[in-house]
Amino acid sequence: MKSRLLASAPSGVALALFAACPVSAQEGCKMSWEASAANSTYTKQQVLDVGDVPGHQLRIYELHRTFPSDKPNCEGLKRVEQWSRGLTDYTDGNGSLSGYTVTILENGDKIFGKVSGTSQTTTNSDGSKTSTFTGVVTYTGGTGKYQRVRGIQRDIIAFDLEKNFNQQRAEAEYWFEK
């Protein structure tokens, strides 16, 4: 919104607005992390066979993740836990995922996000499978300090549904809407 205001303002006004605002709407906190499989577990899963082709399944799930040694974010708060709930539409582990996340910080504030992405599963020469999710979490708001949080988180997750394995590598940038 600020960029639209600046683009339509006369140049002197635009300079005054820029000087009065030390951080633009798109600058924010940048973070990266890894969440181990030891701290992540699928608490609920329900799978339905679609019936059109072998291996085509719809699945709803709930994933709980904890952050026992998290680094503080830009506001000095650590994440305690995260709940992810979603729907997958997979054929042999390949397909789309959509869902939602709730991240809970140590002071009780929450950050809400909408997840979307794609999973790919390959069969290795020994017959084992490797599954990887690549997706984006869009921060949509929260509670407390995070009511007006916005941002983007990029995830790469190695997973194995049968072994209850989920290991995340992520990077994010967030900011607060005025």
Side-chain angles (χ1 to χ4, degrees):
M1 184 159 166
K2 283 186 185 176
S3 61
R4 280 187 250 154
L5 281 174
L6 292 176
S8 63
S11 61
V13 174
L15 288 174
L17 281 174
F18 183 74
C21 301
V23 177
S24 78
Q26 295 304 311
E27 291 179 19
C29 184
K30 292 184 181 183
M31 299 177 59
S32 63
W33 65 91
E34 292 189 17
S36 75
N39 299 316
S40 307
T41 187
Y42 291 100
T43 58
K44 298 177 186 173
Q45 294 190 76
Q46 180 67 45
V47 178
L48 298 170
D49 289 322
V50 173
D52 55 351
V53 296
H56 187 188
Q57 298 178 323
L58 295 177
R59 176 179 67 105
I60 56 173
Y61 71 92
E62 178 179 77
L63 177 75
H64 182 241
R65 192 181 309 281
T66 59
F67 300 90
S69 57
D70 199 28
K71 293 182 263 177
N73 65 13
C74 293
E75 296 76 47
L77 296 170
K78 295 179 181 181
R79 290 170 295 179
V80 176
E81 63 183 325
Q82 180 179 67
W83 292 90
S84 298
R85 297 167 177 105
L87 170 72
T88 63
D89 183 352
Y90 289 168
T91 302
D92 293 328
N94 298 285
S96 64
L97 178 148
S98 63
Y100 299 90
T101 64
V102 177
T103 303
I104 303 166
L105 302 167
E106 63 188 346
N107 71 344
D109 285 356
K110 297 177 182 177
I111 298 173
F112 306 129
K114 181 170 177 34
V115 182
S116 63
T118 304
S119 294
Q120 295 180 328
T121 298
T122 57
T123 303
N124 303 314
S125 59
D126 64 359
S128 65
K129 294 186 178 195
T130 301
S131 298
T132 305
F133 168 78
T134 305
V136 171
V137 179
T138 303
Y139 297 163
T140 59
T143 63
K145 292 181 183 184
Y146 297 90
Q147 286 180 343
R148 300 175 77 73
V149 72
R150 300 294 183 263
I152 299 292
Q153 172 182 316
R154 290 164 294 283
D155 286 336
I156 298 175
I157 298 174
F159 68 95
D160 186 325
L161 299 175
E162 293 175 11
K163 294 180 181 174
N164 198 12
F165 176 87
N166 184 292
Q167 186 165 306
Q168 176 191 47
R169 191 167 31 113
E171 60 182 40
E173 180 174 5
Y174 66 90
W175 59 92
F176 298 92
E177 281 190 339
K178 300 290 179 198

